[in-house]
Amino acid sequence: MQVRSSIAAAVLASAMIVPAAAPALAAQHQPPRPQGIEKKDTLRWVAPQDLKIGTAVAGGGHHETQPYPDPFTFDQEYRERLAAEFDSVSPENQLKWEFVHPEQGTYRFAEMDAIVRFAQENKQVVRGHTLFWHSQNPAWLEEGDFTKDELRAILKDHIQTVVGRYAGKIQQWDVANEIFNGDGTLRTTDNIWIRELGPEIIADAFRWAHEADPKAKLFFNDYGVEGINAKSNAYLELIPRLQAQGVPVDGFAIQGHLSTRYGFPGDLQANLQRFDDLGLETAITEIDVRMDVAAGTSPTDAQLATQASYYQRALDACVSVDECNSFTIWGFTDKYSWVPVFFSGEGEATVMWNDFTRKPAYYALQDTLEQASPGRGNR
């Protein structure tokens, strides 16, 4: 009880708005080494040397309205699984504007600092998500009365403050997130940056991120671009044009929020290969596979088999493309999945049940990783 109380005190302190220069959590909580999990029976152990297998770290966003405390801080078994299974972590919400920059000129870094420490202690890399987006922005930004010069200065300060704080500690950044509509046109209505400052601001975002951390890999990231379509074609046209202007774009990331309501995007590998052929790194960054599950029921064996197939085929597409070097599932346990909160009647989208036991989807990933790197557990 004493340990839990000290953690709670630290989290309550961190929830207060603190300036960028303030230290992280007041009380340093060292995560324990995973116990009771066989090292060689985990995803990170069987993954190929050149592929990072990752997950989102639950926290912020919808979690703050749920009837449980912050998962990353308080759920001991969750932390143990997070450390044992993955060698890459992404903040689910802890670096989105509304969370990390809730008031003008004020930053909230304690939670992200704790994730970075956890990753360092467990030999994990970190993906940064995200710097430039139309969603989950704070009211002070979206409703503020700023001139174009002021808005530009706000964006530059945010990018260079956040990226600079974690320079050398974050491997990849989703710099620009979801900038295109489904028909391949730019989001000029709901993206405050593009609407107010014009499309040229996209290039500036990448330049500012690169200035703050020249070694970090900088990505575009989007949903609905799994296959070859108008949206992915728009990125295929935009990225070489930016690179020709000297803009430091290193990669293209496919989120992969899939549903068994729809067929698997069979051209996923071919689409990844198109970006690989441009000399880009690629990644699958937010994959989950939701199913139609009525309240109070469980998915059928057939549904679980379909879900497992989707996960397996997505991972197989990634490992089949040379520079697809990061595969991240958007949460690993249904206990904390975002899906039921946002998709009525759908759920059970991750690879573990609420009690952290493994679904067929988990074993499908494990088998695919083993086949990609036979007899070469390495983590």
XYZ file of all heavy atoms in Angstrom, residues 264-339:
591
model
N -9.586 -7.812 -46.160
C -8.205 -7.410 -45.897
C -7.647 -6.693 -47.131
O -7.890 -7.121 -48.266
C -7.344 -8.628 -45.567
C -5.922 -8.275 -45.241
C -5.573 -7.866 -43.971
C -4.932 -8.314 -46.221
C -4.270 -7.518 -43.659
C -3.617 -7.962 -45.925
C -3.294 -7.557 -44.637
N -6.889 -5.618 -46.935
C -6.296 -4.908 -48.076
C -5.176 -5.737 -48.712
O -4.009 -5.678 -48.301
C -5.763 -3.616 -47.448
C -5.534 -3.956 -46.008
C -6.606 -4.939 -45.643
N -5.543 -6.505 -49.706
C -4.599 -7.459 -50.291
C -3.424 -6.831 -51.004
O -2.425 -7.513 -51.275
N -3.510 -5.526 -51.304
C -2.382 -4.854 -51.958
C -1.500 -4.099 -50.966
O -0.731 -3.212 -51.352
C -2.879 -3.915 -53.055
C -3.969 -2.944 -52.582
O -4.403 -3.066 -51.416
O -4.384 -2.088 -53.382
N -1.582 -4.450 -49.702
C -0.775 -3.788 -48.677
C 0.715 -3.892 -48.976
O 1.451 -2.901 -48.931
C -1.087 -4.376 -47.294
C -0.220 -3.896 -46.122
C -0.291 -2.386 -45.951
C -0.648 -4.593 -44.829
N 1.183 -5.092 -49.263
C 2.615 -5.254 -49.533
C 3.031 -4.457 -50.757
O 4.076 -3.795 -50.754
C 2.960 -6.733 -49.723
C 4.449 -6.955 -49.990
C 4.800 -8.425 -50.151
O 4.124 -9.313 -49.595
N 5.839 -8.720 -50.909
N 2.239 -4.520 -51.817
C 2.568 -3.778 -53.032
C 2.607 -2.275 -52.758
O 3.447 -1.541 -53.303
C 1.557 -4.091 -54.126
N 1.716 -1.813 -51.901
C 1.698 -0.399 -51.557
C 2.934 -0.009 -50.755
O 3.582 1.007 -51.040
C 0.427 -0.079 -50.771
C 0.212 1.407 -50.598
O 0.528 2.210 -51.470
N -0.328 1.790 -49.454
N 3.279 -0.801 -49.752
C 4.508 -0.543 -49.001
C 5.720 -0.522 -49.926
O 6.621 0.308 -49.781
C 4.693 -1.603 -47.919
C 3.800 -1.523 -46.685
C 3.895 -2.814 -45.875
C 4.170 -0.322 -45.813
N 5.725 -1.446 -50.869
C 6.867 -1.551 -51.776
C 7.022 -0.289 -52.627
O 8.144 0.125 -52.954
C 6.704 -2.773 -52.684
C 7.933 -3.079 -53.529
C 9.150 -3.420 -52.677
O 9.077 -4.319 -51.833
N 10.261 -2.706 -52.889
N 5.910 0.352 -52.987
C 5.995 1.592 -53.763
C 6.792 2.661 -53.027
O 7.590 3.386 -53.638
C 4.593 2.141 -54.058
C 3.708 1.263 -54.892
C 2.519 2.047 -55.424
N 1.678 2.638 -54.390
C 0.762 3.579 -54.636
N 0.597 4.044 -55.866
N 0.007 4.066 -53.641
N 6.593 2.757 -51.735
C 7.304 3.755 -50.953
C 8.742 3.310 -50.678
O 9.661 4.136 -50.650
C 6.537 4.046 -49.663
C 5.247 4.758 -49.907
C 4.064 4.061 -50.094
C 5.213 6.142 -49.995
C 2.866 4.713 -50.354
C 4.023 6.816 -50.253
C 2.852 6.100 -50.441
N 8.937 2.018 -50.505
C 10.287 1.478 -50.391
C 11.093 1.806 -51.641
O 12.279 2.156 -51.568
C 10.209 -0.037 -50.174
C 11.558 -0.676 -49.938
O 12.229 -1.036 -50.926
O 11.948 -0.819 -48.766
N 10.458 1.701 -52.804
C 11.142 1.980 -54.068
C 11.565 3.439 -54.193
O 12.459 3.765 -54.986
C 10.237 1.606 -55.251
C 10.016 0.107 -55.384
O 10.796 -0.666 -54.779
O 9.062 -0.290 -56.068
N 10.939 4.323 -53.419
C 11.350 5.728 -53.393
C 12.556 5.950 -52.483
O 13.047 7.082 -52.373
C 10.196 6.603 -52.896
C 8.949 6.717 -53.782
C 7.905 7.587 -53.096
C 9.303 7.284 -55.143
N 13.020 4.889 -51.817
C 14.123 5.018 -50.876
C 13.690 5.404 -49.483
O 14.512 5.813 -48.652
N 12.398 5.251 -49.197
C 11.865 5.611 -47.890
C 11.850 4.420 -46.950
O 11.716 3.275 -47.384
C 10.429 6.123 -48.033
C 10.236 7.435 -48.787
C 8.777 7.618 -49.132
C 10.748 8.611 -47.966
N 11.954 4.690 -45.655
C 11.611 3.693 -44.660
C 10.088 3.633 -44.575
O 9.404 4.628 -44.831
C 12.202 4.058 -43.295
C 13.709 4.041 -43.262
C 14.278 4.278 -41.877
O 13.508 4.144 -40.891
O 15.464 4.598 -41.770
N 9.563 2.475 -44.223
C 8.123 2.339 -44.034
C 7.855 1.693 -42.690
O 8.741 1.077 -42.082
C 7.472 1.511 -45.164
O 8.082 0.219 -45.206
C 7.634 2.202 -46.511
N 6.621 1.823 -42.237
C 6.238 1.253 -40.940
C 4.736 1.051 -40.907
O 3.983 1.769 -41.578
C 6.657 2.182 -39.806
N 4.312 0.066 -40.157
C 2.907 -0.075 -39.767
C 2.851 0.332 -38.306
O 3.533 -0.248 -37.462
C 2.401 -1.498 -40.008
C 2.396 -1.781 -41.522
C 1.018 -1.690 -39.410
C 1.994 -3.181 -41.900
N 2.057 1.355 -38.020
C 2.226 2.068 -36.753
C 1.095 1.936 -35.742
O 1.299 2.235 -34.559
C 2.416 3.572 -37.031
O 1.313 4.031 -37.832
C 3.719 3.821 -37.763
N -0.103 1.520 -36.162
C -1.226 1.559 -35.214
C -2.198 0.404 -35.452
O -3.412 0.567 -35.296
C -1.984 2.888 -35.338
C -1.135 4.119 -35.126
C -1.927 5.415 -35.233
O -3.157 5.398 -34.987
O -1.317 6.449 -35.546
N -1.699 -0.749 -35.786
C -2.618 -1.790 -36.244
C -3.447 -2.381 -35.114
O -2.966 -2.629 -34.004
C -1.880 -2.901 -37.017
C -2.898 -3.823 -37.710
C -0.921 -3.662 -36.125
C -2.297 -4.721 -38.759
N -4.732 -2.516 -35.376
C -5.648 -3.324 -34.577
C -6.705 -3.858 -35.533
O -6.845 -3.361 -36.653
C -6.267 -2.548 -33.405
C -6.776 -1.165 -33.773
O -7.224 -0.967 -34.931
O -6.742 -0.265 -32.921
N -7.408 -4.879 -35.116
C -8.403 -5.516 -35.988
C -9.672 -5.715 -35.165
O -9.785 -6.656 -34.379
C -7.900 -6.857 -36.551
C -8.947 -7.448 -37.498
C -6.557 -6.691 -37.258
N -10.618 -4.820 -35.361
C -11.853 -4.868 -34.572
C -12.858 -5.832 -35.203
O -12.840 -6.089 -36.408
C -12.452 -3.475 -34.426
C -12.808 -2.783 -35.708
C -13.173 -1.312 -35.451
N -13.671 -0.664 -36.657
C -12.905 -0.047 -37.543
N -11.576 0.001 -37.364
N -13.438 0.516 -38.622
N -13.742 -6.357 -34.344
C -14.745 -7.330 -34.761
C -16.118 -6.890 -34.270
O -16.236 -6.157 -33.283
C -14.417 -8.711 -34.177
C -13.075 -9.270 -34.601
S -12.737 -10.894 -33.862
C -12.345 -10.432 -32.162
N -17.169 -7.356 -34.935
C -18.535 -7.115 -34.469
C -18.823 -8.054 -33.306
O -18.884 -9.278 -33.491
C -19.527 -7.365 -35.601
C -19.487 -6.269 -36.647
O -19.927 -5.153 -36.348
O -18.995 -6.536 -37.762
N -18.963 -7.476 -32.120
C -19.219 -8.264 -30.919
C -20.317 -7.573 -30.115
O -20.122 -6.471 -29.595
C -17.943 -8.414 -30.061
C -18.230 -9.293 -28.854
C -16.790 -8.988 -30.874
N -21.463 -8.219 -30.023
C -22.567 -7.628 -29.265
C -22.227 -7.596 -27.783
O -21.501 -8.461 -27.272
C -23.846 -8.439 -29.502
N -22.756 -6.606 -27.092
C -22.512 -6.477 -25.651
C -22.900 -7.753 -24.927
O -23.958 -8.332 -25.183
C -23.306 -5.304 -25.102
N -22.010 -8.209 -24.052
C -22.284 -9.396 -23.259
C -21.974 -10.704 -23.962
O -22.221 -11.772 -23.409
N -21.434 -10.633 -25.182
C -21.074 -11.849 -25.908
C -19.578 -11.863 -26.198
O -18.881 -10.874 -25.977
C -21.844 -11.946 -27.234
O -21.390 -10.914 -28.140
C -23.341 -11.791 -27.006
N -19.112 -12.979 -26.707
C -17.716 -13.129 -27.077
C -17.612 -13.417 -28.565
O -18.554 -13.941 -29.172
C -17.084 -14.284 -26.285
O -17.130 -14.031 -24.897
N -16.479 -13.090 -29.188
C -16.318 -13.419 -30.599
C -16.313 -14.931 -30.807
O -15.911 -15.693 -29.928
C -14.970 -12.797 -30.964
C -14.263 -12.599 -29.669
C -15.315 -12.391 -28.638
N -16.747 -15.346 -31.974
C -16.755 -16.765 -32.306
C -15.361 -17.215 -32.706
O -14.466 -16.396 -32.979
C -17.718 -17.032 -33.471
O -17.207 -16.377 -34.648
C -19.112 -16.508 -33.160
N -15.172 -18.519 -32.762
C -13.891 -19.057 -33.222
C -13.590 -18.592 -34.638
O -12.429 -18.300 -34.973
C -13.913 -20.584 -33.169
C -13.889 -21.123 -31.749
O -13.596 -20.338 -30.819
O -14.173 -22.327 -31.565
N -14.620 -18.516 -35.471
C -14.420 -18.064 -36.848
C -13.961 -16.603 -36.882
O -13.076 -16.238 -37.678
C -15.698 -18.235 -37.651
N -14.556 -15.771 -36.037
C -14.140 -14.370 -35.976
C -12.693 -14.250 -35.514
O -11.910 -13.465 -36.062
C -15.047 -13.588 -35.031
C -16.425 -13.273 -35.579
C -17.258 -12.514 -34.576
O -17.493 -12.977 -33.460
N -17.720 -11.318 -34.955
N -12.331 -15.014 -34.508
C -10.960 -14.968 -33.997
C -9.966 -15.436 -35.057
O -8.856 -14.896 -35.161
C -10.840 -15.815 -32.741
C -11.562 -15.263 -31.504
C -11.585 -16.305 -30.395
C -10.896 -13.979 -31.012
N -10.358 -16.428 -35.843
C -9.479 -16.917 -36.905
C -9.300 -15.848 -37.981
O -8.190 -15.653 -38.509
C -10.046 -18.196 -37.508
N -10.374 -15.147 -38.319
C -10.275 -14.072 -39.307
C -9.393 -12.949 -38.795
O -8.537 -12.420 -39.516
C -11.672 -13.535 -39.647
O -12.468 -14.587 -40.190
C -11.585 -12.400 -40.662
N -9.600 -12.582 -37.542
C -8.771 -11.545 -36.941
C -7.295 -11.932 -36.983
O -6.429 -11.126 -37.364
C -9.197 -11.295 -35.498
C -8.388 -10.222 -34.792
C -8.731 -10.114 -33.313
O -8.593 -11.088 -32.578
N -9.190 -8.946 -32.900
N -7.000 -13.157 -36.601
C -5.617 -13.631 -36.613
C -5.028 -13.561 -38.012
O -3.860 -13.184 -38.201
C -5.557 -15.052 -36.068
N -5.837 -13.914 -39.006
C -5.373 -13.866 -40.389
C -5.021 -12.442 -40.805
O -4.007 -12.215 -41.477
C -6.453 -14.429 -41.314
O -6.127 -14.218 -42.672
N -5.839 -11.462 -40.392
C -5.552 -10.071 -40.746
C -4.224 -9.611 -40.132
O -3.408 -8.967 -40.801
C -6.689 -9.161 -40.269
C -7.899 -9.114 -41.163
C -8.310 -10.217 -41.902
C -8.672 -7.959 -41.258
C -9.440 -10.181 -42.703
C -9.804 -7.904 -42.058
C -10.188 -9.023 -42.778
O -11.308 -8.973 -43.567
N -4.039 -9.911 -38.862
C -2.773 -9.543 -38.220
C -1.593 -10.211 -38.925
O -0.564 -9.582 -39.195
C -2.792 -9.955 -36.748
C -3.354 -8.918 -35.802
C -4.608 -9.084 -35.206
C -2.621 -7.793 -35.456
C -5.114 -8.148 -34.313
C -3.116 -6.858 -34.556
C -4.361 -7.028 -33.994
O -4.854 -6.094 -33.110
N -1.739 -11.498 -39.190
C -0.649 -12.247 -39.807
C -0.314 -11.697 -41.184
O 0.866 -11.498 -41.524
C -1.033 -13.729 -39.900
C 0.052 -14.627 -40.491
C 0.000 -14.709 -42.012
O -1.096 -14.732 -42.585
N 1.149 -14.739 -42.650
N -1.320 -11.413 -41.983
C -1.082 -10.931 -43.341
C -0.462 -9.531 -43.334
O 0.378 -9.210 -44.188
C -2.387 -10.935 -44.136
C -2.919 -12.338 -44.386
C -4.301 -12.335 -45.013
N -4.283 -11.832 -46.387
C -5.374 -11.665 -47.116
N -6.574 -11.929 -46.604
N -5.275 -11.214 -48.361
N -0.861 -8.705 -42.389
C -0.264 -7.373 -42.294
C 1.212 -7.465 -41.917
O 2.066 -6.785 -42.512
C -1.017 -6.532 -41.274
N 1.523 -8.295 -40.935
C 2.921 -8.453 -40.540
C 3.735 -9.081 -41.659
O 4.874 -8.675 -41.924
C 3.013 -9.296 -39.269
C 4.421 -9.575 -38.739
C 5.200 -8.287 -38.497
C 4.354 -10.404 -37.456
N 3.169 -10.061 -42.343
C 3.876 -10.702 -43.446
C 4.186 -9.688 -44.546
O 5.271 -9.721 -45.145
C 3.041 -11.854 -44.002
C 3.812 -12.693 -45.007
O 4.867 -13.243 -44.635
O 3.375 -12.787 -46.174
N 3.245 -8.773 -44.813
C 3.489 -7.735 -45.811
C 4.664 -6.857 -45.402
O 5.519 -6.507 -46.229
C 2.240 -6.884 -46.004
N 4.719 -6.517 -44.117
C 5.811 -5.665 -43.630
C 7.159 -6.365 -43.731
O 8.123 -5.805 -44.267
C 5.520 -5.229 -42.199
S 6.803 -4.188 -41.449
N 7.250 -7.595 -43.252
C 8.549 -8.276 -43.248
C 9.008 -8.621 -44.664
O 10.191 -8.912 -44.883
C 8.543 -9.540 -42.361
C 8.239 -9.186 -40.924
C 7.555 -10.573 -42.891
N 8.092 -8.557 -45.632
C 8.444 -8.857 -47.015
C 8.995 -7.642 -47.762
O 9.431 -7.762 -48.905
C 7.223 -9.402 -47.765
O 6.772 -10.612 -47.196
N 8.961 -6.482 -47.127
C 9.460 -5.252 -47.739
C 10.719 -4.825 -46.986
O 10.705 -4.702 -45.755
C 8.381 -4.153 -47.696
C 8.928 -2.816 -48.189
C 7.175 -4.574 -48.537
N 11.794 -4.589 -47.715
C 13.111 -4.406 -47.101
C 13.142 -3.345 -46.003
O 13.675 -3.580 -44.920
C 14.140 -4.041 -48.173
C 14.534 -5.234 -49.034
O 14.239 -6.369 -48.628
O 15.120 -5.012 -50.114
N 12.590 -2.171 -46.274
C 12.720 -1.069 -45.323
C 11.490 -0.865 -44.454
O 11.315 0.210 -43.868
C 13.068 0.219 -46.068
C 14.444 0.211 -46.699
C 15.559 -0.027 -45.684
O 15.496 0.560 -44.580
O 16.480 -0.802 -45.982
N 10.619 -1.878 -44.352
C 9.548 -1.830 -43.360
C 10.145 -2.342 -42.053
O 10.289 -3.548 -41.841
C 8.353 -2.684 -43.785
S 6.920 -2.490 -42.684
N 10.545 -1.436 -41.201
C 11.372 -1.807 -40.059
C 10.709 -1.593 -38.699
O 11.372 -1.680 -37.664
C 12.709 -1.044 -40.101
C 12.522 0.449 -40.203
O 11.512 0.985 -39.739
N 13.475 1.128 -40.807
N 9.385 -1.316 -38.718
C 8.691 -1.095 -37.459
C 7.242 -1.541 -37.618
O 6.560 -1.112 -38.555
C 8.752 0.389 -37.064
O 8.133 0.630 -35.824
N 6.770 -2.383 -36.700
C 5.402 -2.903 -36.736
C 4.823 -2.720 -35.341
O 5.263 -3.357 -34.377
C 5.405 -4.382 -37.128
C 4.034 -4.977 -37.319
C 3.428 -4.968 -38.567
C 3.349 -5.556 -36.257
C 2.165 -5.527 -38.756
C 2.090 -6.120 -36.433
C 1.505 -6.104 -37.695
N 3.845 -1.813 -35.228
C 3.307 -1.427 -33.932
C 1.822 -1.738 -33.856
O 1.049 -1.302 -34.714
C 3.526 0.078 -33.676
O 4.930 0.345 -33.637
C 2.889 0.515 -32.362
N 1.412 -2.485 -32.829
C -0.006 -2.736 -32.599
C -0.522 -1.653 -31.647
O 0.172 -1.234 -30.723
C -0.253 -4.159 -32.057
C 0.476 -4.408 -30.732
C 0.186 -5.191 -33.086
C 0.221 -5.805 -30.151
N -1.758 -1.173 -31.898
C -2.276 -0.024 -31.148
C -2.958 -0.511 -29.877
O -4.169 -0.535 -29.746
C -3.206 0.797 -32.024
C -3.270 2.234 -31.604
C -4.369 2.923 -31.200
C -2.177 3.166 -31.554
N -4.042 4.230 -30.896
C -2.698 4.407 -31.098
C -0.811 3.073 -31.828
C -1.906 5.546 -30.930
C -0.021 4.196 -31.653
C -0.558 5.414 -31.205
N -2.116 -0.893 -28.928
C -2.583 -1.518 -27.700
C -2.556 -3.024 -27.851
O -2.852 -3.558 -28.920
N -2.202 -3.716 -26.757
C -2.058 -5.171 -26.865
C -3.085 -5.940 -26.052
O -3.191 -7.152 -26.179
C -0.640 -5.603 -26.475
C -0.232 -5.254 -25.058
C -0.436 -6.148 -24.018
C 0.367 -4.037 -24.782
C -0.044 -5.837 -22.725
C 0.774 -3.711 -23.490
C 0.554 -4.614 -22.452
N -3.866 -5.253 -25.214
C -4.895 -5.937 -24.434
C -6.238 -5.232 -24.594
O -6.311 -3.996 -24.580
C -4.532 -6.006 -22.940
O -5.652 -6.491 -22.194
C -4.133 -4.651 -22.384
N -7.300 -6.026 -24.734
C -8.649 -5.461 -24.855
C -9.049 -4.644 -23.621
O -9.942 -3.796 -23.689
C -9.677 -6.574 -25.062
C -9.533 -7.267 -26.403
O -8.948 -6.669 -27.328
O -9.999 -8.415 -26.526
N -8.383 -4.891 -22.521
C -8.688 -4.193 -21.273
C -8.633 -2.681 -21.444
O -9.407 -1.938 -20.808
C -7.691 -4.644 -20.202
C -7.928 -4.115 -18.810
C -6.911 -4.728 -17.846
C -7.146 -4.274 -16.406
N -6.159 -4.890 -15.472
N -7.733 -2.197 -22.312
C -7.539 -0.761 -22.466
C -7.706 -0.284 -23.914
O -7.261 0.814 -24.258
C -6.153 -0.368 -21.945
C -5.935 -0.691 -20.488
C -4.847 -1.466 -20.081
C -6.818 -0.223 -19.522
C -4.645 -1.768 -18.743
C -6.628 -0.523 -18.172
C -5.538 -1.293 -17.792
O -5.344 -1.588 -16.462
N -8.314 -1.078 -24.747
C -8.447 -0.709 -26.159
C -9.370 0.497 -26.349
O -10.407 0.618 -25.694
C -8.987 -1.885 -26.962
O -9.261 -1.509 -28.297
N -8.999 1.339 -27.290
C -9.812 2.506 -27.632
C -11.039 2.140 -28.465
O -11.993 2.906 -28.530
C -8.959 3.513 -28.418
C -8.643 3.065 -29.827
C -7.874 2.001 -30.197
C -9.102 3.659 -31.044
N -7.815 1.895 -31.566
C -8.558 2.899 -32.117
C -9.907 4.752 -31.340
C -8.805 3.194 -33.467
C -10.142 5.059 -32.688
C -9.597 4.296 -33.721
N -11.023 0.967 -29.082
C -12.023 0.630 -30.092
C -13.462 0.658 -29.574
O -14.335 1.306 -30.178
C -11.693 -0.722 -30.762
C -12.857 -1.229 -31.606
C -10.436 -0.584 -31.621
